[in-house]
Amino acid sequence: MLIERLDVHSVKAMIDMMELIKPYGLRAGYHAHDGDYLNKVGDVPFYEYVFMNTPKEFCMTIDTGNMMAGGGDPIECIKKFPGRAPVVHVKGYGKEKGYTTPVWESELDWVDFFNTARDIGNAELFYIEFGARGAYTPVIRATLSCKWLEGWVEKL
């Protein structure tokens, strides 16, 4: 789908909001959704269009699962916009199971991802995002996901 009207108005609104909250020590940004890669402005995914047209202090919220679901590459996106990814949602996604894929079975090179997010994206916060999907209850999924993430934190 090609976005025609939404692009200019949405990005301007995002910049206006950023300027409005900046005096209070707050930062503004945009969270990745699968539709942000399925919808394009010309040949550019909407998510990347936003960051091509906003100031460097406008923050990216990388969402690994949403980006992969829409056909995006979280690692390459961070590299395209260095220093702009302070918040990272670590979410599972796989071609076969979709969003029901647990994060520990996700189809992402986690070593490369975590190093890229930390060293190039300037990630400050990694957290697990999950829903009540698949074979696990939310509490079990949260517990297993947090244990998995703790293992990665120790390696970084």
Side-chain angles (χ1 to χ4, degrees):
M1 172 188 282
L2 177 65
I3 298 175
E4 294 174 1
R5 190 162 180 267
L6 182 62
D7 55 2
V8 176
H9 299 291
S10 296
V11 172
K12 182 179 178 335
M14 290 177 200
I15 295 169
D16 290 347
M17 182 59 67
M18 181 188 76
E19 294 301 328
L20 185 68
I21 66 174
K22 194 187 317 185
Y24 300 98
L26 300 172
R27 294 185 283 182
Y30 189 72
H31 174 278
H33 300 89
D34 51 7
D36 296 329
Y37 275 87
L38 298 170
N39 294 302
K40 300 190 185 292
V41 180
D43 291 335
V44 179
F46 182 71
Y47 189 74
E48 293 180 14
Y49 178 87
V50 167
F51 294 98
M52 292 167 67
N53 292 283
T54 52
K56 289 189 183 220
E57 68 261 33
F58 190 79
C59 302
M60 298 171 71
T61 298
I62 297 294
D63 184 309
T64 58
N66 285 353
M67 292 175 89
M68 291 187 301
D73 182 333
I75 296 167
E76 290 306 311
C77 185
I78 292 169
K79 290 177 180 177
K80 281 182 187 176
F81 305 100
R84 295 184 71 177
V87 179
V88 178
H89 291 189
V90 179
K91 185 190 304 180
Y93 184 81
K95 289 179 185 152
E96 187 177 314
K97 294 181 184 177
Y99 284 115
T100 63
T101 305
V103 67
W104 57 89
E105 292 178 7
S106 191
E107 297 171 3
L108 186 60
D109 179 342
W110 290 111
V111 172
D112 191 15
F113 176 76
F114 283 119
N115 287 326
T116 300
R118 180 195 63 205
D119 298 340
I120 297 173
N122 293 342
E124 300 170 16
L125 175 65
F126 293 94
Y127 65 94
I128 297 290
E129 181 180 344
F130 62 93
R133 299 177 168 133
Y136 302 95
T137 66
V139 172
I140 297 296
R141 192 174 180 119
T143 301
L144 294 173
S145 297
C146 287
K147 285 182 181 180
W148 174 86
L149 185 57
E150 285 173 357
W152 278 103
V153 170
E154 292 171 6
K155 294 175 190 176
L156 298 174

